[in-house]
Amino acid sequence: MEEAGAGPPASRGRRGAALLAALKAKQKRPGDDEGARVGLADGGAGVSSQQPPPVQDIPPTPQPSGSPHPLPVGRAALLSGLTGRSLGGVASSVSAPSVGRAALLEKLKIKGGVASSLASVGTMPGVGRAQLLASLKGGVSVVGSSSGQSQGGTVSPGVETGVQSPPGGITPPPGKVSPTAAATVSPTTLAKPMSGMMIQEEGGDPIIRKGTAGKTVKLTANYVRLEMEGEKGMYEYEVKFNPLVDSRDERFKLVGQQRELFGPTKTFDGICLYLPHQLDQVVTVVKGTHPVDQSEVTLTMSLKHKKRLADKACIQFYNTLFRRIMTTLKMCQMNKNFYDPTAGHLVPQHKLEIWPGYVTSVQQFEGGVMLCCDVSHKVLRTQTAYQLLKDVVAQKPADMQGSVLKALLGAVVLTRYNNKCYKVDDIDWDMTPSSKFVDHNGEEKSFVDYYKKHYGITIKDEKQPMLINRAKKKTAEEADVAKLIALVPELCNLTGLTDQMKNDFRVMKDVALFTRVTPNQRQLALRKFLKNVNDSAEASSHLLNWGLRLAPDAIKLEGRLLNPEKLMAGKNFQFTVNSKADWGREITTNHMLTAVDLKKWSVVFVQKNDAVVQNFVSLMIKLSPKMGMKVAQPEMNQLANDRTETYLKAIRDNVNPNVQLVVAIMPTPRDDRYSAVKKLCCVEKPVPSQVINFKTISNEKKVSSVVQKVALQINCKLGGELWGCSIPPKLGNLMVLGVDVYHDPSRRGSSIAGVVSSTNMSMSRWYSSTCFQQPGQELIDSLKIAFIKALKKFYEMNHVWPDKVMVFRDGVGDSQLAMSAKYEADQFKDSFKHISDTYKPGFGFIVVQKRINTRIFYMSGKELDNP
C-alpha cells in the first residue's frame, strides 16, 4: 500500500502531501496490501462488504499478495485507498473512474454505519458529479432515482449507468447504456443501503418526548391529512423556451399545446413541469406555436428529479396543485389567499363588502403530508377609485394632482370584470379611456371599444385619467421587460379599510360580526371546503390523477391540559392564574412584588388638555398606593402648542439627575414626534419616559383601568418587579433568554437584535442589550456577544453560572427555520466555551412564530372551544 501510494506530483500542492502523511500514519491490517492493489489496479477505491459480492460478467483478476506493483497514482487513488481503510473495508471489486475533489471529500465524510451500503456494484463509466455523489451515497447511480429520498442531481442526455434500476426508478432509454457497464445488482443488495441512507439523511425517526403532568384531553386542528393511494412517483422537468418567452401566461399556453405528449395530468408553475410518468427521453425537445405572433418556439424539457410524493421536496408541487384546485373552484386570488366572490356579505351602512375565503398551505409533519386550511376574509369597499378621485377634486386642493396621487398611490384595487387585484403604482394624466393601444392581435383600439367588446361594459366618463400598475416580475426572463397595465378608475373597486374606518368603533364592530369566527364556525368552513373539492369532478380530478385524496375530516389529536400556575405578588401573596390567563384584577388590588416610589417626576402636556391631565395625575396619586407604590405630586409643564420642538425644549429644560421619570401626554399619535421624544430621553438626556396618547385617558369610564396599567409600566421602568413565578427546584439555576430581530428596509444588509435575559429564579428581573449587525457581518456573531454578556450578568447577580439555558428566538421566517435550527443553535452552544472549557449547561432553543395559521381546538363533546 505504501509503495502504491508513492504520493502525488509536487505540483498538486500541500493538501496532497498532508493526505499522503495521513495515509502513511494509518496502521496496516492483514489483507490491506492485497486489497489496495486490487482496488488500484482497477483504477478506483477499494471498499468491502461482509455480504457475498454480486455476480459479475468478468471477474477481476486478483493480484498476488507478495508481488509489488508500485503504480503511479494521483490524489484520487490515495483518497480512495484512505476511504477504504476508514470504512474498515477489505479488498473489493468496485471500479470507479477518477473523480473530483468535492466528491472524494464528500466520500470521506460517510460514517461507518453507511459503509456497508458501498457494496460492490461493478465497473462504471465516467459520470458527472451529481451521479458520482449519488453513487457514493446510495450504492447505485440511476438517473433521477432515489433511495427513499430524492437526490437533486442534474440529468444530462446520454449519461447513464450500467446497473439495473430499482423498482420505481428511471429506466434509461434504449441504446444509452455503456457497453462496459455489465454488472447487475440484486434488489436485496440494494435494500439495506437504501434504507440506511434514508435514515442517515432524514436524521432517523423524530424524537418524541411526552410529559405526564395535567390531564389528557381530546383536540382537533385545522389540518387535513393528504392520503396517497399507492406510490405513483413524480417526475420533475425543467422547461426552457427558445426563443425566450417573457410572459408567464404565454408559457402556460405553450405547455398546454403539448397535451398529447404529457397526457391529461400535469402541473406547471412557469418553470418546472411535474408529471406522474416519465417521458421516453431524458431530454425531450418539441415545437410549439407562440399564442401571440404564431411564431415557432422550441420547448426543451430536461428531467431533473424523480421524487416520491411523500418527499419533503414535493411541498412546492403540492402548493401549486392546490392553487389549481382553488382556481377550478372559481376562487379569486388576492396576494396568497383565495376568496369566494359569490358568497360576499354586504355591509351597506359603511359601503363595505366582505368576501370569505381560505388560507391553504401544504407541509410535511410527523404524521405525513397535511393540508392546513384556515378561514380568511377580505374587506372590499363598494366605492370605486373614480368616486374617490371625484371626492378629492371636490375639495379643491391647491395641488389637485398631488392630492389625488396621495389618495390612490399604493392602494390595491379590484376589477370586478375579471376579479383580479392590482396595486396602483402611478396615474397617467395624459392617458384616458379614449386613448388607443395595440392588442395581442396587432389591432389598434381604444379602451372604450375594448371593454365594450370583451366585457359588455360602457365607460361613462371618457376623460378620466388612467391608473397604472407595474406587473410583478415572476420569472428571471421578465426582469428586463417593463410591463405596464392601464386600469380605468371607474371599473376599479377599492379594497381594505382606511385609517379613519379603523378608528371608527362602529365600523370595526360591524365588520367583526363577519370576520371573528368561533372554533365551530372554523370547523364548518373546513368541512365546506372539503365538500366543495369532493363534489367538484374537475377539482377532485386534480388530486385523483396523482393518486391523492383528502381525508374526510380534520385530524384528531391528544393533548394534556396542564394545571394552572401560581404567581407571587408583594407581601408573600400567592394566587392561581385563571383559565383565561388574565391576572389583572389580582395584581392591581394587591401590592406589586417590588414597588419603587415615584418621588420626583415631570408631566409635559399641551395647555388645552389641562383638565384631563389633572384628572390623570390625581388618579395616579390615588390608585398607585393600592399596588404598593407611593406617587408624589409631579412638576406640571404646560405647552403653548404641540410642535415637536416645543416638547423637546420643555423636556431638556426640566430634566436633571434628580428626575425619575418624564411623562409626555400628546394630543394626537404622530410617529415623528414620538421618535424624537424617545431619542431625547434614551440618548441625549437618559431618563425613563412614558408617552401617553390624550385619547387614551380622556374616556372617563375607562380612565381608572388605564391609569393602573400605566402605573405598572412606570414601576417596571423604575426597576421594580410586578410579579414572580415559582420555578421547580429540580430545574436548578435556569436562565431564560428572548431574542428578536428587527430588519430595517431602509438600511439593507443590516439588522438590529434585542436580547433580554432573566437574572433571578423568579423570572421577575431582566437584563437587556441590543446588538447591531453591520453589512457583510453574520447576525449570529453579534448575538453571541450579547449571549455571553447575559451569562456574565446572571453570574454577577447570583454568583453561580446557570445550569440550564433556554433561548426563545423570534423574528425567524419559514425560509430561515432550517438555518436558524442548524446554525444559530450550534453557535449559541459554542459560546459556552468562552466561559470555561468544562462549562456545558443544558441548552434549549425554541423558535417562536406568531404569524401562523395553525388552529388547535379543544373538543368538549360535539362542541369545540379554544384551549
Side-chain angles (χ1 to χ4, degrees):
M1 184 70 178
E2 292 177 1
E3 292 179 358
S11 61
R12 292 294 181 97
R14 289 183 293 177
R15 182 179 292 183
L19 289 169
L20 178 59
L23 182 61
K24 288 183 178 181
K26 289 286 182 182
Q27 183 179 356
K28 298 203 305 181
R29 291 181 295 179
D32 278 357
D33 287 347
E34 179 182 352
R37 277 189 288 271
V38 172
L40 292 174
D42 290 335
V47 295
S48 73
S49 174
Q50 298 300 327
Q51 301 176 357
V55 179
Q56 305 227 356
D57 291 344
I58 305 175
T61 305
Q63 297 288 339
S65 60
S67 59
H69 281 275
L71 299 175
V73 295
R75 180 181 305 167
L78 283 170
L79 285 171
S80 302
L82 180 57
T83 307
R85 302 181 73 114
S86 65
L87 295 176
V90 206
S92 172
S93 56
V94 173
S95 178
S98 297
V99 292
R101 177 186 302 173
L104 288 165
L105 290 177
E106 181 71 21
K107 186 171 180 179
L108 284 173
K109 297 177 183 177
I110 300 176
K111 305 299 182 184
V114 191
S116 61
S117 68
L118 301 176
S120 174
V121 295
T123 307
M124 293 188 293
V127 292
R129 175 182 297 176
Q131 288 178 287
L132 282 170
L133 288 174
S135 69
L136 293 175
K137 292 181 178 180
V140 62
S141 178
V142 181
V143 179
S145 69
S146 66
S147 56
Q149 181 75 13
S150 103
Q151 309 286 345
T154 304
V155 178
S156 302
V159 180
E160 306 291 338
T161 61
V163 298
Q164 277 189 330
S165 300
I170 298 179
T171 306
K176 295 290 184 180
V177 181
S178 171
T180 60
T184 59
V185 182
S186 66
T188 55
T189 309
L190 289 174
K192 196 167 184 179
M194 278 186 176
S195 60
M197 284 308 298
M198 183 176 66
I199 295 175
Q200 180 81 7
E201 292 188 0
E202 291 291 338
D205 294 333
I207 300 174
I208 300 176
R209 296 185 175 94
K210 292 183 178 180
T212 56
K215 65 176 183 178
T216 303
V217 293
K218 293 182 179 179
L219 305 171
T220 184
N222 60 333
Y223 281 85
V224 181
R225 203 178 304 277
L226 205 57
E227 298 173 347
M228 301 180 187
E229 300 175 353
E231 177 56 64
K232 284 192 174 184
M234 186 264 287
Y235 297 82
E236 180 182 330
Y237 288 83
E238 181 187 18
V239 183
K240 292 185 177 181
F241 301 85
N242 187 24
L244 293 177
V245 178
D246 299 322
S247 171
R248 190 168 179 265
D249 294 335
E250 292 165 5
R251 291 178 172 214
F252 274 87
K253 293 176 182 178
L254 283 166
V255 171
Q257 294 174 6
Q258 312 301 325
R259 184 178 179 86
E260 294 184 4
L261 173 65
F262 301 143
T265 306
K266 71 177 188 304
T267 300
F268 182 58
D269 64 3
I271 298 175
C272 294
L273 173 69
Y274 305 100
L275 298 175
H277 57 83
Q278 185 188 2
L279 301 178
D280 293 337
Q281 301 294 328
V282 175
V283 177
T284 304
V285 180
V286 294
K287 303 290 184 181
T289 303
H290 199 287
V292 176
D293 57 13
Q294 308 303 314
S295 61
E296 186 180 84
V297 179
T298 302
L299 283 74
T300 304
M301 278 79 68
S302 303
L303 179 62
K304 290 298 177 184
H305 308 287
K306 192 271 181 179
K307 303 175 181 177
R308 297 186 310 120
L309 288 175
D311 284 352
K312 189 175 182 179
C314 292
I315 298 302
Q316 179 185 353
F317 157 73
Y318 286 123
N319 287 302
T320 304
L321 185 63
F322 274 95
R323 280 198 295 270
R324 288 190 63 192
I325 292 174
M326 289 297 194
T327 305
T328 303
L329 294 174
K330 303 293 189 294
M331 303 286 279
C332 175
Q333 183 175 3
M334 295 186 187
N335 294 328
K336 295 182 180 180
N337 303 337
F338 291 84
Y339 300 93
D340 185 0
T342 62
H345 305 286
L346 288 173
V347 188
Q349 63 270 33
H350 305 300
K351 298 181 180 179
L352 297 175
E353 184 178 359
I354 301 173
W355 285 5
Y358 299 97
V359 182
T360 60
S361 63
V362 180
Q363 290 291 339
Q364 186 182 37
F365 298 93
E366 294 173 8
V369 179
M370 297 186 192
L371 169 72
C372 175
C373 182
D374 192 26
V375 176
S376 178
H377 292 87
K378 188 68 176 178
V379 179
L380 308 174
R381 284 185 266 168
T382 54
Q383 183 186 26
T384 64
Y386 177 74
Q387 292 170 342
L388 178 61
L389 188 149
K390 296 290 284 184
D391 291 344
V392 174
V393 173
Q395 297 174 4
K396 297 181 179 180
D399 182 9
M400 189 268 293
Q401 291 190 3
S403 300
V404 172
L405 199 63
K406 183 179 179 180
L408 284 173
L409 197 64
V412 177
V413 296
L414 172 74
T415 50
R416 294 278 186 168
Y417 50 84
N418 61 357
N419 280 334
K420 287 188 176 182
C421 287
Y422 303 92
K423 181 182 177 183
V424 179
D425 294 311
D426 200 359
I427 299 177
D428 192 336
W429 298 93
D430 298 326
M431 184 186 294
T432 66
S434 302
S435 303
K436 294 186 176 182
F437 68 98
V438 180
D439 65 6
H440 62 281
N441 294 323
E443 299 179 6
E444 188 178 41
K445 61 178 66 174
S446 67
F447 291 97
V448 174
D449 297 336
Y450 174 81
Y451 283 102
K452 183 68 176 177
K453 179 180 178 181
H454 288 272
Y455 299 104
I457 298 174
T458 302
I459 297 176
K460 298 176 183 178
D461 185 356
E462 298 186 5
K463 295 183 179 180
Q464 56 187 304
M466 300 291 284
L467 308 179
I468 302 299
N469 165 258
R470 293 183 177 88
K472 186 178 179 181
K473 310 296 189 297
K474 296 182 179 179
T475 61
E477 288 79 5
E478 292 181 356
D480 299 330
V481 180
K483 186 177 180 181
L484 301 179
I485 298 174
L487 304 168
V488 181
E490 194 177 299
L491 307 179
C492 297
N493 281 77
L494 298 167
T495 66
L497 295 171
T498 64
D499 292 335
Q500 183 180 357
M501 289 179 175
K502 291 178 182 178
N503 294 327
D504 190 330
F505 174 75
R506 290 173 299 175
V507 173
M508 299 307 295
K509 182 180 179 181
D510 293 337
V511 170
L513 294 175
F514 301 98
T515 57
R516 289 183 183 174
V517 292
T518 64
N520 285 312
Q521 290 173 327
R522 289 184 187 274
Q523 197 75 349
L524 286 173
L526 175 60
R527 289 173 180 168
K528 182 182 177 182
F529 171 75
L530 296 177
K531 185 177 183 297
N532 290 342
V533 174
N534 293 327
D535 290 350
S536 171
E538 187 179 356
S540 59
S541 66
H542 291 312
L543 293 171
L544 294 175
N545 289 338
W546 286 96
L548 303 170
R549 67 180 179 187
L550 289 169
D553 204 355
I555 61 170
K556 300 294 188 293
L557 306 170
E558 190 178 86
R560 288 178 296 110
L561 186 62
L562 299 178
N563 298 322
E565 295 292 334
K566 286 187 176 181
L567 295 182
M568 302 175 295
K571 293 187 175 181
N572 296 322
F573 174 72
Q574 293 190 0
F575 58 93
T576 302
V577 179
N578 58 34
S579 59
K580 294 184 179 180
D582 179 15
W583 57 90
R585 180 180 295 274
E586 289 83 356
I587 203 63
T588 53
T589 55
N590 292 279
H591 282 212
M592 292 178 279
L593 188 62
T594 304
V596 179
D597 295 339
L598 186 57
K599 299 177 181 178
K600 188 171 180 60
W601 56 304
S602 177
V603 180
V604 181
F605 61 97
V606 180
Q607 185 176 3
K608 64 180 181 180
N609 300 333
D610 180 69
V612 174
V613 174
Q614 292 290 350
N615 182 49
F616 163 75
V617 172
S618 63
L619 286 173
M620 277 285 295
I621 297 173
K622 177 183 175 182
L623 298 176
S624 296
K626 295 180 181 180
M627 297 180 283
M629 179 181 179
K630 296 179 181 179
V631 178
Q633 183 69 31
E635 182 180 344
M636 309 294 283
N637 298 283
Q638 293 186 1
L639 307 180
N641 54 63
D642 64 348
R643 290 203 297 264
T644 302
E645 298 79 9
T646 308
Y647 271 93
L648 298 180
K649 183 179 184 303
I651 294 173
R652 285 194 186 99
D653 293 343
N654 289 279
V655 169
N656 58 64
N658 296 323
V659 174
Q660 292 176 276
L661 177 78
V662 171
V663 176
I665 299 176
M666 299 183 177
T668 55
R670 271 179 46 188
D671 290 341
D672 59 335
R673 184 168 54 201
Y674 174 83
S675 300
V677 170
K678 283 296 182 181
K679 184 178 180 181
L680 171 65
C681 295
C682 290
V683 180
E684 186 178 336
K685 294 272 190 178
V687 62
S689 60
Q690 181 74 40
V691 178
I692 302 174
N693 183 11
F694 171 76
K695 185 180 178 181
T696 308
I697 59 174
S698 59
N699 189 335
E700 293 183 3
K701 295 180 180 179
K702 299 180 180 180
V703 66
S704 295
S705 176
V706 171
V707 169
Q708 290 174 333
K709 301 298 189 299
V710 170
L712 293 174
Q713 292 185 45
I714 290 174
N715 187 62
C716 282
K717 294 179 179 180
L718 296 178
E721 302 170 60
L722 301 185
W723 57 77
C725 56
S726 179
I727 303 296
K730 63 182 180 181
L731 288 178
N733 296 307
L734 173 67
M735 184 177 79
V736 177
L737 279 91
V739 180
D740 198 359
V741 179
Y742 170 72
H743 305 283
D744 189 352
S746 63
R747 300 170 58 190
R748 291 191 174 184
S750 63
S751 302
I752 303 170
V755 180
V756 60
S757 62
S758 62
T759 58
N760 62 356
M761 285 304 296
S762 62
M763 304 293 163
S764 59
R765 300 192 69 88
W766 299 82
Y767 168 75
S768 63
S769 62
T770 56
C771 50
F772 294 81
Q773 174 199 14
Q774 303 301 325
Q777 177 191 21
E778 290 289 345
L779 180 61
I780 188 62
D781 296 335
S782 302
L783 288 177
K784 283 175 68 176
I785 298 173
F787 183 53
I788 295 170
K789 286 181 180 179
L791 289 170
K792 292 181 176 179
K793 188 67 176 180
F794 187 93
Y795 181 82
E796 178 186 326
M797 301 296 293
N798 301 281
H799 305 292
V800 64
W801 297 106
D803 300 322
K804 293 180 176 63
V805 178
M806 188 71 68
V807 177
F808 289 86
R809 173 75 158 91
D810 199 357
V812 179
D814 289 333
S815 60
Q816 300 171 308
L817 274 176
M819 184 278 293
S820 180
K822 293 180 180 178
Y823 181 60
E824 285 193 5
D826 289 341
Q827 292 295 310
F828 273 121
K829 290 172 67 176
D830 188 57
S831 302
F832 294 133
K833 68 181 182 182
H834 294 281
I835 305 299
S836 171
D837 292 337
T838 59
Y839 179 55
K840 295 180 180 179
F843 181 78
F845 190 86
I846 300 173
V847 175
V848 181
Q849 283 188 308
K850 299 183 291 293
R851 296 180 180 179
I852 60 174
N853 297 310
T854 300
R855 300 286 185 269
I856 299 176
F857 308 117
Y858 169 65
M859 299 177 66
S860 177
K862 293 184 179 180
E863 297 296 318
L864 301 180
D865 197 3
N866 291 313

